[in-house]
Amino acid sequence: MNQRIGYARVSTDDQHLDLQRDALQKAGCSLLYEEKASGKNANRVELENCLKALRAGDTLVVWRLDRLGRSLPDLVKIIAELELAGIGFESLTEKIETASATGKLVFHVFAALSEFERNLIRERTQAGLAAARARGRNGGRKPKLDAKQIKEIKALLRDPLIAVSTVAKRYGVSRTTLYKYVGAA
């Protein structure tokens, strides 16, 4: 039995599910999964329950694409998993569905644009880092201790009466940081 199963989500308690619920019921969803959870939250219990309830031939229906995925890559991943399981997908607002060849094409164009955007960002980041290195700027956090301080710390730690924690406190670093710079004492 092919079912249309709806998933609705709002991000905050002051938002209401009524609009999404009404649209999903009007679209013929026989079963609805609803939750109030931030899209940034990876742990969305009702979404997990919804995905477990879907079977081959069913269709997952959402009111809008952003209700399903935390990001475009996340959305693409979810839709790809549905497709592999033989489950259709439909977004009512964007009028995207993956049951037809045209719907799949539209969705995959979105996915390709997402991948293209990620690659552009990566290329720009790499070019920016290379330009900074060419100007003598290396990225990363500045060292907590300079060469003089490391030399002093090594001298202090040679004295068995001085505790590592005391030296660490004196230089305003953790014991772990001391060990990183001077090795096991």
Side-chain angles (χ1 to χ4, degrees):
M1 176 170 120
N2 295 346
Q3 293 188 86
R4 292 174 61 78
I5 297 177
Y7 173 71
R9 179 185 60 79
V10 291
S11 301
T12 61
D13 288 331
D14 62 336
Q15 293 177 326
H16 299 285
L17 287 162
D18 298 337
L19 174 68
Q20 293 179 55
R21 185 182 302 121
D22 293 346
L24 292 169
Q25 287 172 340
K26 186 177 176 184
C29 293
S30 57
L31 184 59
L32 297 179
Y33 289 85
E34 304 174 351
E35 66 188 329
K36 292 184 179 183
S38 169
K40 296 176 186 170
N41 187 354
N43 185 19
R44 292 177 286 164
V45 176
E46 288 304 310
L47 176 58
E48 290 173 22
N49 292 337
C50 178
L51 294 174
K52 287 177 187 172
L54 290 161
R55 301 288 173 252
D58 290 348
T59 301
L60 172 61
V61 184
V62 296
W63 178 61
R64 263 186 19 201
L65 284 172
D66 68 347
R67 301 297 86 197
L68 181 61
R70 295 174 298 160
S71 61
L72 196 50
D74 183 46
L75 183 63
V76 169
K77 178 180 166 274
I78 292 170
I79 303 301
E81 289 170 357
L82 291 173
E83 194 173 337
L84 282 173
I87 298 166
F89 171 76
E90 183 176 343
S91 173
L92 301 174
T93 304
E94 291 86 2
K95 296 181 179 27
I96 294 175
E97 48 76 33
T98 61
S100 71
T102 305
K104 284 181 185 176
L105 173 66
V106 169
F107 185 77
H108 287 289
V109 166
F110 274 109
L113 289 172
S114 170
E115 185 176 346
F116 176 68
E117 179 186 25
R118 280 193 310 275
N119 288 336
L120 281 178
I121 291 169
R122 187 179 313 115
E123 287 173 10
R124 281 191 298 248
T125 302
Q126 295 299 325
L129 290 171
R133 279 191 293 274
R135 290 190 308 276
R137 169 85 170 101
N138 289 326
R141 178 184 273 189
K142 300 226 182 298
K144 287 275 190 181
L145 301 169
D146 61 31
K148 181 182 173 198
Q149 290 173 318
I150 293 169
K151 188 176 180 181
E152 291 169 2
I153 290 168
K154 285 181 178 179
L156 286 170
L157 292 177
R158 283 191 203 105
D159 185 345
L161 299 175
I162 298 177
V164 173
S165 56
T166 305
V167 176
K169 195 177 290 183
R170 178 176 170 183
Y171 285 88
V173 296
S174 69
R175 290 174 44 166
T176 305
T177 301
L178 273 189
Y179 290 130
K180 175 183 164 191
Y181 283 96
V182 298

